Amino acid sequence: MIILPAIDIHEGRCVRLFQGDYSTAEVVAGDPLETAEGFREQGAHWLHMVDLDGAKAGRPINHELILNTAETAGMHVEVGGGIRSMRTVEDYLMGGASRVILGSAALGDPEFVKEAVCAYGKRIAVGIDAIDGIAAAEGWTKKSGMDYIEVAKRMEGIGVQYIICTDIHKDGTQSGPNLEMLDKLNRAVSCNIIASGGVSSLLDIINLYDLGLYGAIAGKALYAGTLDLKAAVRVCHKFSG
């Protein structure tokens, strides 16, 4: 299992939200590039970056900042937030991102997702963010009315190979991931599942590893110091070996 430290960008700064609420945005680090380099020095090979402003606006807002980080950090970067067109997908992938995350588009424009997957295959991931098992969209501000498993199966049928699953109630809470939700998803589809939301400790990482997931995103726990990134990477490597 891979560990993906998270850098969420809001108004050009590294922030963390509580349960997806933009009004709770808390600045947790300084320069995104310096933060990314710190994660790399602790052994991370992947970085999860989200343009929070872009997610809300439906178009890239912090595009240049994210691509500059991707270009110079020396890590694989997956990026999401406001990616609603093939032009944006191409701009990110050609600009240095390793993988792009399609979120709201998976619900509102599955044909776009299919086009992106046909063009870029495993470099396309879909983010499924859920509240009480119901997928949310538009920067987590609207419920879709669709069960998260149903959305995942539709994406699997399109050819999506990577799904990032977030329980919004867990996001930013450090209360532990929703293991039941993640296990159910992992068993329902053949896609590689990346867990997001609630990670607070090394025990959470071990529990996620035991589910057989592909990856785990860690955010607030890293900034708060409750999760040692170097130890988490080492444990996953040891178990995998």
Side-chain angles (χ1 to χ4, degrees):
M1 187 174 79
I2 65 170
I3 307 296
L4 301 93
I7 294 180
D8 293 352
I9 305 297
H10 175 49
E11 298 178 348
R13 299 177 295 177
C14 301
V15 306
R16 295 304 296 167
L17 306 183
F18 181 79
Q19 296 182 341
D21 185 349
Y22 281 64
S23 69
T24 67
E26 173 191 1
V27 178
V28 291
D31 179 68
L33 178 55
E34 291 182 3
T35 303
E37 290 175 340
F39 289 147
R40 184 195 66 216
E41 290 171 358
Q42 294 176 70
H45 297 290
W46 276 88
L47 185 67
H48 175 84
M49 297 193 74
V50 177
D51 181 350
L52 292 175
D53 302 308
K56 204 167 187 178
R59 59 183 176 82
I61 300 295
N62 297 288
H63 175 268
E64 291 185 8
L65 176 59
I66 290 171
L67 280 184
N68 181 52
T69 303
E71 181 180 2
T72 59
M75 303 168 71
H76 295 293
V77 174
E78 65 174 24
V79 57
I83 303 176
R84 312 272 176 90
S85 71
M86 282 301 294
R87 179 174 179 176
T88 303
V89 169
E90 291 162 358
D91 284 348
Y92 271 125
L93 293 179
M94 297 302 291
S98 296
R99 188 158 62 214
V100 299
I101 307 162
L102 307 182
S104 298
L107 299 169
D109 193 357
E111 286 302 312
F112 162 48
V113 179
K114 185 175 182 179
E115 181 183 2
V117 170
C118 286
Y120 293 105
K122 65 182 181 180
R123 299 184 73 187
I124 304 298
V126 164
I128 300 178
D129 310 317
I131 302 175
D132 299 323
I134 303 301
E138 309 298 334
W140 296 358
T141 59
K142 297 179 181 178
K143 284 188 176 182
S144 69
M146 294 178 63
D147 180 82
Y148 78 107
I149 294 290
E150 179 185 353
V151 176
K153 288 183 175 179
R154 290 187 181 187
M155 295 300 102
E156 179 185 32
I158 287 174
V160 172
Q161 296 182 47
Y162 294 89
I163 290 177
I164 298 162
C165 182
T166 305
D167 179 347
I168 295 174
H169 283 316
K170 292 286 188 177
D171 187 73
T173 66
Q174 297 187 74
S175 61
N178 189 331
L179 299 175
E180 181 180 354
M181 176 184 180
L182 292 162
D183 188 40
K184 184 179 178 181
L185 176 61
N186 197 41
R187 293 175 184 274
V189 296
S190 61
C191 309
N192 296 294
I193 306 301
I194 300 174
S196 174
V199 170
S200 65
S201 66
L202 192 58
L203 178 59
D204 289 334
I205 296 299
I206 293 171
N207 287 336
L208 292 171
Y209 181 93
D210 286 343
L211 295 182
L213 305 186
Y214 163 78
I217 294 168
K220 195 168 186 177
L222 297 177
Y223 298 105
T226 62
L227 176 65
D228 184 318
L229 178 58
K230 184 180 293 185
V233 171
R234 187 184 303 119
V235 164
C236 288
H237 179 73
K238 181 179 179 180
F239 284 177
S240 297

